[in-house]
């Protein structure tokens, strides 16, 4: 079955840049979506169609794609960005990545 | 703004049927530009898409292979809601269940319904 792989954890200092990768077969030919989930809450969409940011999502969140690896970048990371992040793609069915815990030290 | 309000029992016995409801406000379950999904999150944290229902010229449903033999997702147009039924549950079905709106991605989510399968 199709799988999306993310690093389990990423640590970042406040004000620095955090990068979270998501890899999968043929991902470059599909769109990638990114969600932020804080403890006890529902996921929130932060990036859609690889690079687009929904209304209300801060500009410090950006997405990119290179080959079969998508990347979510948080520039100028703030303490409030500490959360779990999941990528997701679609090809007849939806698949989520394994998730990355971002810790702001 | 779409709002999704979930309800249902938090405890289900093994071999029984898990049933959850998601009431939709701010949109119509019969919208021809929307799909209504159920997604679950295991205690270890992974997200798993379970299936969806949507109306185009007729009602359609798609289900994940992992649960296809046990799952039904139905619309209720009179109540503007969508339901999930998962039959023959085991402890491995213990999870937080979410309803979500979206065709290929999910901009709107319900609040989540924790369900424990235990005798």
């Amino acid at each position: 079955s199709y799988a999306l792989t993310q690093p389990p954890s990423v640590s970042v200092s406040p004000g620095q840049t955090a990068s979270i990768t998501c890899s999968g077969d043929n991902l470059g030919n599909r769109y990638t979506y990114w969600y932020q989930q804080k403890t006890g809450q529902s996921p929130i969409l932060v990036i859609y169609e690889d690079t687009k940011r929904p209304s209300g999502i801060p500009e410090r969140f950006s997405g990119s794609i290179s080959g079969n690896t998508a990347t979510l970048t948080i520039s100028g990371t703030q303490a409030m960005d500490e959360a779990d992040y999941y990528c997701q793609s679609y090809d007849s069915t939806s698949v989520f990545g394994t998730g990355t815990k971002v810790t702001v030290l | 703004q779409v709002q999704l309000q979930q309800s249902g029992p938090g405890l289900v016995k093994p071999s029984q049927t898990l049933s959850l409801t998601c009431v939709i406000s701010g949109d119509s379950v019969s919208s021809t530009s929307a799909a209504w999904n159920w997604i679950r999150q295991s205690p270890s944290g992974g997200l798993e898409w379970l299936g969806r229902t949507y109306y185009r010229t007729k009602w359609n449903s798609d289900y994940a292979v992992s649960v296809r033999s046990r799952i039904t997702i139905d619309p209720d147009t009179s109540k503007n809601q969508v339901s999930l039924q998962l039959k023959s549950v085991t402890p491995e079905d213990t999870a937080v269940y979410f309803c979500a709106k979206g065709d290929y991605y999910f901009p709107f989510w319900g609040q989540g319904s924790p369900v424990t399968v235990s005798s």
Side-chain angles (χ1 to χ4, degrees):
Chain A
S1 61
Y2 191 70
L4 296 174
T5 302
Q6 301 178 231
S9 61
V10 166
S11 296
V12 60
S13 299
Q16 299 304 302
T17 296
S19 295
I20 306 162
T21 57
C22 173
S23 300
D25 288 343
N26 212 28
L27 189 58
N29 290 324
R30 314 171 185 198
Y31 281 129
T32 302
Y33 311 94
W34 290 94
Y35 302 85
Q36 175 195 70
Q37 186 181 32
K38 297 183 179 179
T39 303
Q41 298 183 16
S42 303
I44 294 172
L45 180 72
V46 294
I47 294 290
Y48 68 101
E49 293 179 358
D50 295 339
T51 62
K52 299 175 182 178
R53 198 172 48 249
S55 172
I57 299 302
E59 290 184 8
R60 63 181 180 274
F61 289 90
S62 63
S64 62
I65 183 81
S66 177
N68 290 326
T69 297
T71 300
L72 173 68
T73 301
I74 312 172
S75 305
T77 306
Q78 300 183 9
M80 68 173 65
D81 301 328
E82 189 162 282
D84 295 325
Y85 291 84
Y86 295 90
C87 61
Q88 177 242 322
S89 192
Y90 176 87
D91 181 19
S92 74
T93 62
S94 289
V95 175
F96 288 91
T98 49
T100 299
K101 184 175 188 61
V102 171
T103 301
V104 183
L105 299 172
Chain B
Q1 181 79 336
V2 176
Q3 292 192 324
L4 305 173
Q5 182 66 40
Q6 301 175 218
S7 61
L11 180 65
V12 182
K13 289 181 166 46
S15 79
Q16 294 191 343
T17 297
L18 180 161
S19 296
L20 296 172
T21 299
C22 175
V23 176
I24 302 160
S25 56
D27 203 340
S28 170
V29 70
S30 303
S31 169
T32 56
S33 59
W36 307 96
N37 302 262
W38 286 96
I39 295 162
R40 69 182 177 183
Q41 187 166 35
S42 66
S44 63
L47 289 164
E48 179 185 16
W49 176 84
L50 298 177
R52 64 179 182 173
T53 190
Y54 56 98
Y55 184 81
R56 298 296 180 259
T57 57
K58 64 180 178 69
W59 285 103
N60 302 274
S61 295
D62 301 319
Y63 299 124
V65 170
S66 60
V67 295
R68 187 168 293 164
S69 63
R70 300 191 291 131
I71 191 172
T72 304
I73 297 175
D74 280 328
D76 184 334
T77 56
S78 66
K79 297 180 180 178
N80 204 36
Q81 66 185 33
V82 61
S83 65
L84 166 69
Q85 289 201 317
L86 188 65
K87 300 182 297 185
S88 305
V89 297
T90 70
E92 285 66 45
D93 295 310
T94 293
V96 177
Y97 288 76
F98 296 96
C99 63
K101 175 190 173 182
D103 271 336
Y104 308 113
Y105 61 101
F106 313 108
F108 300 102
W109 294 67
Q111 81 275 22
S113 298
V115 178
T116 300
V117 179
S118 174
S119 54

